[in-house]
Amino acid sequence: MDPSPAAPASHNTLAESLGGRAIALVGLMGSGKTTVGRRLAAALGLAFRDADAEIEQAAGRSVSDIFAELGEPEFRAGERRVIARLMESGSMVLATGGGAYIDPATRALLREKAVTIWLKADIEILARRVARRDTRPLLRGKDPFEVLTALAEKRHPVYAEADIVVETPDSAHDLAVERIIAALKDYLA
Ligand code: S3P
């Protein structure tokens, strides 16, 4: 998609210098991939896609139902297919689900077709944020801080392979967007 004329000229240039690659946001549940991603896309004049929403649409059921009825391996297979399809569509901002980048095949694809950005945040902040919704199957009936701490131990070394790491502040999503744009400018320069 062409960068929108509504985006500032310097941001249009940034979108162009992606050379057709996507921007993929990775990180734990609650790190703001969807909220920040939507704002980042608007700022850069790019399309926004949310992998979980696309999986739900393709499967005709919610992420929770996919986990409950088909199991996590089937969800990961669907996630791989959906992200592979999205990566054929050129530049966009993609919010991935927290486990997508951990899957070796999805990670390899994202590394090839996208500039990957890890939205890194304190576990306390993430635990507070995810407590607002009970739609996440990995958290249902469990203590979010404990689950996220265990996931962080396994996943942080993998997220750290992302092209860019951005520490996200508590609640101020616009600040996160500014930090991402500054980091992207450096990375793409
Ligand atoms: C998951 C994160 C969720 C969703 C699914 C599994 C994970 O996405 O894909 O519940 O493995 O961390 P968000 O990170 O958008 O919550």
Side-chain angles (χ1 to χ4, degrees):
M1 168 183 162
D2 286 339
S4 112
S10 65
H11 293 177
N12 280 347
T13 311
L14 198 154
E16 278 159 22
S17 51
L18 287 167
R21 277 173 299 176
I23 295 169
L25 303 181
V26 307
L28 285 173
M29 295 176 267
S31 55
K33 300 178 296 280
T34 301
T35 316
V36 170
R38 198 170 273 126
R39 291 184 194 201
L40 177 67
L44 297 179
L46 290 171
F48 172 75
R49 293 281 183 280
D50 180 84
D52 282 345
E54 299 278 334
I55 295 162
E56 291 186 331
Q57 209 180 347
R61 49 188 138 182
S62 68
V63 169
S64 293
D65 286 348
I66 301 172
F67 266 74
E69 292 162 21
L70 306 174
E72 182 169 350
E74 207 42 54
F75 172 79
R76 296 297 169 205
E79 185 174 55
R80 270 195 300 276
R81 284 193 297 273
V82 161
I83 292 179
R85 169 172 56 76
L86 290 169
M87 287 301 102
E88 298 305 315
S89 316
S91 289
M92 69 175 67
V93 176
L94 174 70
T96 65
Y101 197 67
I102 308 305
D103 179 89
T106 304
R107 182 163 71 255
L109 185 75
L110 287 171
R111 292 196 56 76
E112 182 195 334
K113 306 267 191 180
V115 176
T116 50
I117 304 179
W118 174 20
L119 300 188
K120 190 177 180 192
D122 288 342
I123 304 296
E124 290 83 14
I125 296 175
L126 298 176
R128 218 179 313 132
R129 289 205 194 125
V130 297
R132 291 179 206 145
R133 282 203 287 138
D134 76 339
T135 52
R136 292 179 169 103
L138 297 180
L139 298 176
R140 191 152 298 152
K142 301 195 177 121
D143 175 47
F145 187 83
E146 275 176 23
V147 174
L148 288 164
T149 302
L151 285 176
E153 204 171 303
K154 282 195 235 145
R155 292 180 175 182
H156 276 191
V158 184
Y159 293 142
E161 292 176 25
D163 297 311
I164 296 172
V165 180
V166 173
E167 304 261 354
T168 59
D170 194 4
S171 72
H173 287 312
D174 286 334
L175 187 55
V177 171
E178 274 174 37
R179 285 189 187 168
I180 293 171
I181 290 175
L184 270 169
K185 280 187 181 153
D186 280 351
Y187 179 78
L188 295 168

